[in-house]
Amino acid sequence: MKVILFGGTGMVGQGVLRECLRDAGVSEVLSIGRRPLGQNHAKLRELIVPDPGQLNVPPSTLGGYDACFFCLGVSSFGLSEAEFTRLIFDLTLGAARKLAPVNPQMAFIYVSGAGCDTSEQGRVMWARVKGRTENALRALPFRAVYLFRPGAIEPRHGIRSNTALYRWAYVLLAPLLPLLRRWAPQHLTSTDRVGLAMLQAARHGAPSPWVEMRDIQALSDAALAAMPPHTRAP
């Protein structure tokens, strides 16, 4: 399987990239972003572009891929609806519309968020914009579109969020994470589980286009169950 990854320097994207590089069934990862990832791997290629929503490159550069994991995103904190729309809807759809014609066999997997508003009429700005993005992606001619809606995500294996507020939140919540994992697993997942769930959905599908927390856990459980025990790091 050949995959395209957007947002490989972000917290979720780092986790997805890690699982892709560890997966023997992934032959190539094309990372598209504004800055280099800062790592080398035989399976990894990078395309550095000033605007990932434009992708002013020859179509042949983007063709022949089986899955796209779109992990780019920003917090809506301090942004107007117009600004957030430009950074979420316009950027995501700009890239997806370039990929769809040259990859009709592709599964496009988008990291959205829990509580998105697909009616596009609700009172919460970020939920409306994300819901509009989800609706527009589903209308594109990909083989499949899966909209991942994680809630709390625990960064693992040395991964850190690029957002200072989130980094502090994880530090403060760290003592509670073992309790959440044990008693409320439906409210907490991890960067590695998100990556495993995306790979599983790309290969085998998901029960619904909207992949909620319980689905992320089930998909990652299925991926783990299919692996020889010695291939999984703790």
Side-chain angles (χ1 to χ4, degrees):
M1 180 165 65
K2 296 173 62 177
V3 306
I4 292 176
L5 172 65
F6 287 83
T9 60
M11 188 185 82
V12 174
Q14 290 176 62
V16 175
L17 176 62
R18 179 181 185 273
E19 297 308 317
C20 287
L21 296 180
R22 288 168 52 84
D23 191 311
V26 175
S27 60
E28 180 184 318
V29 180
L30 173 62
S31 171
I32 300 178
R34 295 186 180 93
R35 62 183 192 272
L37 297 174
Q39 60 178 292
N40 295 308
H41 193 282
K43 294 195 291 190
L44 180 61
R45 295 174 53 225
E46 294 193 62
L47 178 61
I48 308 302
V49 294
D51 183 352
Q54 294 295 323
L55 292 183
N56 294 319
V57 297
S60 58
T61 304
L62 305 172
Y65 288 87
D66 304 291
C68 175
F69 302 138
F70 200 96
C71 306
L72 272 176
V74 296
S75 168
S76 63
F77 183 76
L79 298 179
S80 68
E81 184 162 353
E83 291 170 323
F84 192 61
T85 296
R86 179 176 59 82
L87 294 171
I88 296 296
F89 181 89
D90 294 347
L91 190 152
T92 305
L93 268 294
R97 286 167 177 157
K98 289 289 184 69
L99 293 176
V102 293
N103 294 290
Q105 80 294 342
M106 174 179 278
F108 190 96
I109 298 180
Y110 172 63
V111 179
S112 186
C116 286
D117 174 20
T118 52
S119 77
E120 306 180 31
Q121 302 299 315
R123 298 176 62 183
V124 181
M125 181 272 283
W126 74 263
R128 287 197 307 272
V129 174
K130 288 268 189 172
R132 181 184 170 206
T133 305
E134 291 185 352
N135 291 339
L137 287 172
R138 291 195 67 214
L140 296 179
F142 291 110
R143 169 175 62 85
V145 173
Y146 296 113
L147 309 158
F148 272 51
R149 292 175 163 186
I153 302 175
E154 177 188 1
R156 299 190 66 215
H157 305 293
I159 292 170
R160 301 174 70 220
S161 172
N162 292 326
T163 303
L165 178 62
Y166 293 167
R167 288 198 301 272
W168 278 107
Y170 288 122
V171 170
L172 294 173
L173 293 173
L176 301 177
L177 292 179
L179 294 175
L180 282 173
R181 281 195 295 269
R182 182 171 182 178
W183 299 111
Q186 70 275 20
H187 298 301
L188 176 70
T189 188
S190 61
T191 48
D192 50 334
R193 277 191 170 267
V194 172
L196 289 168
M198 286 189 175
L199 286 164
Q200 184 74 4
R203 287 189 172 111
H204 305 293
S208 164
W210 297 278
V211 181
E212 308 286 353
M213 284 286 278
R214 63 182 179 275
D215 306 310
I216 293 172
Q217 300 300 77
L219 288 166
S220 58
D221 283 344
L224 286 166
M227 294 180 180
H230 69 275
T231 64
R232 291 305 303 152

